[in-house]
């Protein structure tokens, strides 16, 4: 027998033993612990017995996020078929009742479940998933499009240079993700433009998710004096890339030298109070702050990890390179799950849809962490899309086969596909494919229809 095959058989045996000991789906008890059940009960609205109670509605909503066909019709059809398989009377396939049930679902319930699952996954992570025994948090922002309705356009206006009826409403999403488990800890949603819609403002609204001892990593947009002071107050360290305009003024001959192109400097407090902060709060900000600047190749980092012996320059740079994982995580949420283009027609449902996608993402991360623990791997070594495909296929068979559901086969299948490590990979931001089938729409659809009626295509 080939040595690799022997290792694979031994690993599968270990996974099965782990699943039997942990009674299959009890990893971290994140979805079934008493605290979560009490939290769900407290957030559920008063409701009578309906065809679509809140928990079932949330489950169907999540299945839409994981389905290639995200229509409400598909979700209702699947629920009707499931009822027949369970020996119950089939329900109507009209979508009106399910759509009303989605509207009654409180967004606070979904938001709390996202925060709870993310916190539990992070809090119970093995030490090997941490960086020098410290949890690492990744922060970044992205944009999402939605249907061009009047209410969506009013709440989430598109870019200012777009003609009316041409573009789509845009919302901005800032996510805080755990580096170790990949789970979403918290998120903030706001308009793409306008007051309170920038990434800095959205990040300030979720800083409460950080705890003392955390390490926050973000790109150059977040490396501001006030954010560094806020992190210092909370006992949180930060690692950021130096902002472009400040790179030219960086002089490693000044300050306290720690090594080649590595020094400590003292930066002063800004002279002006920002519009979002009151004068009383601005007066409490320290007059100066000690930070560390270091350079590797052409990249300059600014960090509050001041001790060069405990945090060597090479380790800090390696840590910052892990920031790229949040780009991959956002790609998984937007592209793999399909959140890049939302489908709801009102702002209230848009917010709910975003949180449902994040909850579905955390559930997939839960499965990946479960498989990683059993296979003695890191969750970042397991393919997200592979797990989504397996979970969708698993849902058609495992619920009706108890032995299959408790055998650990799902964890074995998830852990089989390993993500390759390709450091230093460089790809051009260009597509090789041909031109799109139709040219872009440069006028409102009503104007285009009128022109076609008069002059034809």
């Amino acid at each position: 027998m080939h040595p690799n095959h022997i290792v694979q058989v031994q690993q599968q045996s270990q996974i099965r033993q782990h699943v039997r000991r942990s009674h299959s789906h009890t990893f971290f008890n994140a979805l079934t612990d008493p605290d979560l059940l009490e939290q769900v009960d407290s957030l559920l609205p008063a409701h009578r017995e309906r065809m679509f109670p809140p928990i079932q509605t949330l489950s169907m909503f999540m299945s839409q996020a994981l389905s290639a066909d995200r229509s409400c019709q598909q979700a209702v059809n699947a629920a009707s078929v499931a009822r027949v398989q369970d020996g119950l009377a089939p329900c109507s396939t009209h979508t009106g009742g399910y759509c009303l049930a989605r509207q009654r679902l409180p967004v606070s319930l979904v938001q709390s479940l996202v925060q709870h699952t993310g916190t539990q996954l992070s809090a119970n992570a093995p030490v090997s998933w941490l960086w020098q025994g410290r949890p690492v948090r990744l922060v970044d922002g992205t944009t999402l499009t939605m249907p061009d309705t009047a209410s969506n356009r009013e709440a989430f206006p598109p870019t200012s240079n777009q003609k009316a009826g041409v573009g789509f409403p845009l919302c901005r999403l800032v996510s805080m993700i755990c580096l170790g488990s990949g789970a979403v800890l918290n998120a903030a949603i706001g308009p793409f433009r306008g007051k309170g819609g920038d990434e800095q403002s959205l990040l300030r609204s979720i800083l409460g998710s950080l705890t003392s001892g955390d390490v926050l990593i973000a790109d150059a947009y977040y490396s501001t004096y006030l954010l560094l002071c806020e992190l210092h107050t909370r006992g949180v360290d930060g690692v950021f890339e130096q902002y472009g305009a400040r790179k030219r003024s960086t002089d490693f001959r000044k300050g306290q030298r720690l090594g080649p192109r590595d020094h400590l400097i003292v930066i002063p407090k800004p002279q002006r109070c920002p519009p979002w902060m009151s004068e009383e709060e601005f007066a409490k900000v320290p007059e100066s702050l000690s930070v560390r600047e270091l350079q590797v190749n052409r990249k300059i980092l600014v960090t509050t990890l001041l001790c060069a012996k405990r945090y060597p320059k090479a380790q800090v740079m390696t840590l910052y390179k892990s920031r790229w994982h949040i780009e991959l995580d956002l790609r998984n949420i937007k592209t793999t799950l399909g959140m890049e283009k939302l489908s709801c027609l009102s702002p209230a449902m848009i917010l709910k849809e975003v949180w449902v996608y994040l909850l579905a993402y955390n559930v997939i991360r839960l499965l990946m962490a479960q498989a990683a623990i059993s296979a003695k791997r890191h969750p970042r070594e397991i393919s997200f899309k592979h797990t989504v495909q397996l979970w969708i296929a698993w849902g058609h068979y495992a619920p009706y086969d108890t032995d299959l559901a408790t055998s650990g086969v799902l964890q074995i299948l998830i852990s089989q596909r390993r993500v390759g490590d390709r450091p230093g990979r460089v790809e051009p931001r260009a597509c090789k494919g041909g031109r799109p089938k139709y040219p872009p729409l440069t006028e409102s659809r009503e104007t285009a229809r009128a022109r076609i009626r008069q002059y034809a295509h």
Side-chain angles (χ1 to χ4, degrees):
M1 185 178 294
H2 195 275
N4 292 338
H5 182 67
I6 295 176
V7 173
Q8 185 177 9
V9 172
Q10 293 175 349
Q11 186 182 70
Q12 292 178 0
S13 177
Q14 292 175 356
I15 293 176
R16 287 192 177 96
Q17 293 175 5
H18 175 84
V19 172
R20 293 191 186 100
R21 290 195 303 267
S22 62
H23 304 289
S24 187
H25 301 285
T26 57
F27 175 72
F28 295 159
N29 295 320
L31 295 180
T32 58
D33 64 358
D35 294 337
L36 177 60
L37 294 178
E38 292 179 3
Q39 186 177 12
V40 171
D41 291 337
S42 65
L43 294 172
L44 283 177
H47 63 280
R48 56 184 176 85
E49 290 298 325
R50 302 175 183 264
M51 183 63 67
F52 302 108
I55 296 301
Q56 182 180 351
T57 302
L58 177 59
S59 177
M60 294 172 63
F61 209 161
M62 290 175 60
S63 69
Q64 286 183 265
L66 296 175
S67 174
D69 183 359
R70 295 182 293 163
S71 64
C72 292
Q73 186 66 66
Q74 190 274 340
V76 174
N77 291 344
S80 181
V81 172
R83 285 179 58 87
V84 175
Q85 291 178 334
D86 290 337
L88 302 175
C91 64
S92 172
T93 57
H94 292 289
T95 60
Y98 171 60
C99 292
L100 291 176
R102 291 204 315 174
Q103 295 177 11
R104 291 191 297 266
L105 193 67
V107 67
S108 58
L109 169 64
V110 191
Q111 182 177 355
S112 297
L113 288 176
V114 172
Q115 297 170 352
H116 184 86
T117 53
T119 302
Q120 289 298 312
L121 274 168
S122 176
N124 294 277
V127 178
S128 59
W129 297 5
L130 307 179
W131 182 77
Q132 295 194 9
R134 303 180 63 178
V136 179
R137 313 308 188 193
L138 308 175
V139 168
D140 202 3
T142 186
T143 57
L144 309 170
T145 62
M146 62 196 71
D148 190 12
T149 63
S151 57
N152 284 345
R153 182 177 287 271
E154 181 180 359
F156 304 103
T159 56
S160 57
N161 58 352
Q162 284 186 341
K163 299 179 182 179
V166 175
F168 290 92
L170 284 174
C171 74
R172 194 187 303 276
L173 172 69
V174 172
S175 303
M176 183 179 296
I177 294 180
C178 172
L179 174 62
S181 65
V184 173
L185 302 173
N186 206 344
I189 308 164
F192 177 75
R193 60 186 177 93
K195 186 177 181 180
D198 60 284
E199 294 185 21
Q200 289 279 355
S201 298
L202 295 176
L203 174 60
R204 288 193 296 271
S205 66
I206 60 175
L207 285 178
S209 299
L210 296 172
T211 58
S212 179
D214 290 349
V215 180
L216 182 68
I217 304 178
D219 57 23
Y221 185 78
Y222 297 91
S223 60
T224 64
Y225 180 89
L226 296 177
L227 178 59
L228 291 172
C229 289
E230 179 66 24
L231 296 180
H232 180 73
T233 303
R234 295 175 179 269
V236 177
D237 284 310
V239 181
F240 309 93
E241 186 175 357
Q242 184 66 282
Y243 190 68
R246 300 192 189 101
K247 289 182 180 179
R248 294 187 294 269
S249 61
T250 301
D251 188 354
F252 287 98
R253 296 171 298 181
K254 299 179 180 180
Q256 179 183 347
R257 188 175 185 272
L258 301 178
R261 293 193 171 273
D262 187 358
H263 68 166
L264 294 179
I265 60 171
V266 178
I267 54 178
K269 175 182 177 180
Q271 297 181 356
R272 297 182 180 179
C273 176
W276 53 268
M277 179 180 282
S278 64
E279 294 291 344
E280 293 77 9
E281 293 175 337
F282 187 70
K284 298 178 182 178
V285 176
E287 295 297 327
S288 62
L289 182 68
S290 296
V291 297
R292 178 183 176 189
E293 290 181 324
L294 54 94
Q295 181 177 3
V296 177
N297 297 328
R298 290 179 295 179
K299 192 179 293 294
I300 300 177
L301 301 183
V302 55
T303 177
T304 56
L305 300 171
L306 306 183
C307 182
K309 292 183 178 180
R310 184 178 179 183
Y311 308 109
K313 177 180 177 180
Q315 291 188 16
V316 175
M317 179 55 67
T318 302
L319 174 64
Y320 182 76
K321 287 182 179 179
S322 63
R323 190 205 69 83
W324 186 251
H325 282 294
I326 194 171
E327 304 285 354
L328 304 179
D329 295 337
L330 292 176
R331 184 186 67 179
N332 287 330
I333 299 173
K334 294 177 60 175
T335 304
T336 305
L337 295 186
M339 193 180 70
E340 190 170 10
K341 295 181 179 180
L342 303 172
S343 58
C344 290
L345 305 180
S346 66
M349 289 301 298
I350 285 293
L351 296 177
K352 202 175 303 182
E353 184 179 8
V354 172
W355 283 110
V356 166
Y357 270 107
L358 297 180
L359 180 58
Y361 170 82
N362 272 4
V363 170
I364 297 299
R365 281 294 178 185
L366 176 70
L367 296 173
M368 295 171 64
Q370 195 174 18
I373 286 289
S374 303
K376 297 181 180 179
R377 287 183 178 176
H378 196 283
R380 295 292 181 180
E381 299 176 353
I382 298 177
S383 169
F384 181 87
K385 188 170 185 179
H386 174 67
T387 307
V388 172
Q389 293 170 342
L390 286 174
W391 180 243
I392 293 174
W394 189 262
H396 295 293
Y397 305 102
Y400 311 104
D401 190 337
T402 305
D403 294 334
L404 182 63
T406 59
S407 63
V409 175
L410 178 60
Q411 294 184 16
I412 293 174
L413 295 176
I414 291 175
S415 62
Q416 282 181 350
R417 187 66 181 272
R418 194 164 186 169
V419 177
D421 183 18
R422 293 177 286 181
R425 182 185 180 192
V426 176
E427 293 290 344
R429 293 188 176 182
C431 297
K432 189 178 179 181
R435 297 180 179 178
K437 186 176 179 180
Y438 298 106
L441 186 66
T442 58
E443 57 189 352
S444 66
R445 195 165 293 276
E446 291 75 11
T447 303
R449 289 193 186 116
R451 180 174 49 80
I452 292 173
R453 291 189 185 98
Q454 184 174 1
Y455 303 107
H457 286 282

